[in-house]
Amino acid sequence: MKRTVRLATLPLNKNKYDETRSVIGHYSDAKRVFVAHLRQTSLWRLLDRSKSFRDYAKAQGLYPEGINVHLVDQAAFDAVDTCIRHIESCFVRANVKARVWRRFTDEDERHYAYACLTRYSAIGQIMGGGVPEISTVTTSPETGAKIASYLHRVIRDALDGSWPTVIKSHSMSLDSTLYSVVDNDTAKGKTRRYVKVVSSTRNKRISLPLSGISRVSGNVRVVLDEENKRAFIHVSYDVAALAKATGPAVSLDWGITEVCTDDSGVHHGDEYGRAL
């Protein structure tokens, strides 16, 4: 498990703020093109591996000129992640997997249907009117066509013609090659940590002063705070696993007028009765 922490910078001077906003604007422009391009279901096969879409976008000339290529790579990966999140959220809201479970009672049919839903190449093929071949599942052409036809209707209804769009330019994702971390001493003898991020100018980086000292590593996201003219660095940290439970076992009975009652007869969450 991971948790994301927002590390605030100090208020940025006009030059640093404008440079940061400019590079984020270039990043967002590239991502906007990529996300719009991925609306074609025939390209959903590229969602199974983000590097495949990166290679495709380069070959198709979708990469803008004059922008750091590695930064545009990150925009391509970010676009793939955005599209995947949109598709999965639509599936969850429409209870697609539950509908498949209720529709098909045969285990092989369920297996085939669920295998299709875990492969974006298969989903794209279904949305194009095709019948995916799943190597791990043996099914007849007739059965596969029946399931694919049902999945086509369910997925079409779940997506309902929607697709994500990149409207506002306020953040960019960076891997470890696009930023560096340095510590410098201030005039008062204190240590100030800086995150130097890629800029729009070749071989130049924007030095963002953090308001505190925190570890910055791995993939990060830089988010503009337009109101306060500063930025936030979003960093993900691993969450330590909980220690094994100790002490005597305690049983809980989930209630209706309270959240639960333990084996000592103590009621927990009485105040949630009406909501429950």
Side-chain angles (χ1 to χ4, degrees):
M1 294 179 61
K2 291 181 177 292
R3 66 185 179 93
T4 300
V5 177
R6 298 193 313 162
L7 307 178
T9 70
L10 296 174
L12 305 175
N13 61 43
K14 187 177 186 304
N15 287 338
K16 285 187 179 181
Y17 181 81
D18 289 345
E19 282 188 49
T20 305
R21 185 171 61 179
S22 175
V23 69
I24 289 178
H26 292 313
Y27 177 96
S28 299
D29 289 343
K31 180 181 175 181
R32 184 178 299 110
V33 172
F34 295 150
V35 169
H37 210 72
L38 281 168
R39 184 166 193 151
Q40 305 172 65
T41 56
S42 60
L43 297 180
W44 285 8
R45 68 186 189 280
L46 303 174
L47 296 179
D48 287 320
R49 190 169 178 268
S50 57
K51 290 183 178 179
S52 296
F53 176 70
R54 176 200 63 186
D55 297 340
Y56 168 86
K58 286 182 179 179
Q60 294 295 313
L62 298 180
Y63 269 46
E65 296 182 359
I67 306 300
N68 186 298
V69 173
H70 297 300
L71 180 66
V72 184
D73 286 345
Q74 287 301 119
F77 299 151
D78 199 3
V80 169
D81 183 64
T82 296
C83 295
I84 288 175
R85 289 174 182 269
H86 175 76
I87 293 171
E88 292 299 330
S89 66
C90 289
F91 284 4
V92 170
R93 287 197 300 268
N95 294 316
V96 169
K97 290 186 177 180
R99 292 175 66 180
V100 168
W101 178 269
R102 291 192 296 267
R103 174 78 177 201
F104 303 107
T105 57
D106 181 81
E107 287 299 321
D108 289 337
E109 292 181 348
R110 284 177 177 171
H111 189 186
Y112 176 81
Y114 286 142
C116 289
L117 293 175
T118 60
R119 296 166 172 82
Y120 297 104
S121 56
I123 295 172
Q125 191 175 353
I126 289 171
M127 297 308 293
V131 180
E133 292 184 7
I134 307 297
S135 60
T136 58
V137 185
T138 302
T139 184
S140 66
E142 295 76 14
T143 301
K146 177 187 69 173
I147 297 172
S149 176
Y150 175 76
L151 289 178
H152 182 277
R153 295 196 304 273
V154 171
I155 295 172
R156 181 194 59 202
D157 293 343
L159 294 175
D160 194 24
S162 63
W163 197 247
T165 55
V166 182
I167 300 175
K168 193 173 182 181
S169 306
H170 71 278
S171 73
M172 61 180 176
S173 177
L174 305 178
D175 66 13
S176 57
T177 66
L178 295 172
Y179 73 90
S180 58
V181 181
V182 297
D183 292 339
N184 290 328
D185 292 332
T186 66
K188 295 183 179 180
K190 294 184 178 180
T191 300
R192 174 75 63 204
R193 176 156 292 178
Y194 295 84
V195 179
K196 294 187 174 183
V197 302
V198 64
S199 73
S200 299
T201 305
R202 188 173 183 178
N203 297 326
K204 181 181 178 182
R205 293 199 168 188
I206 308 167
S207 186
L208 305 178
L210 294 181
S211 59
I213 303 292
S214 297
R215 178 175 59 83
V216 181
S217 61
N219 286 9
V220 302
R221 181 170 288 275
V222 180
V223 182
L224 274 184
D225 178 2
E226 297 179 349
E227 182 178 354
N228 297 298
K229 300 298 181 183
R230 61 178 178 175
F232 285 99
I233 311 295
H234 290 199
V235 186
S236 294
Y237 298 115
D238 290 325
V239 177
L242 295 175
K244 291 185 178 180
T246 59
V250 176
S251 62
L252 297 174
D253 174 58
W254 304 109
I256 297 176
T257 58
E258 71 285 332
V259 175
C260 61
T261 304
D262 62 28
D263 55 3
S264 299
V266 178
H267 297 279
H268 301 274
D270 291 333
E271 66 274 18
Y272 292 103
R274 291 187 65 184
L276 293 173

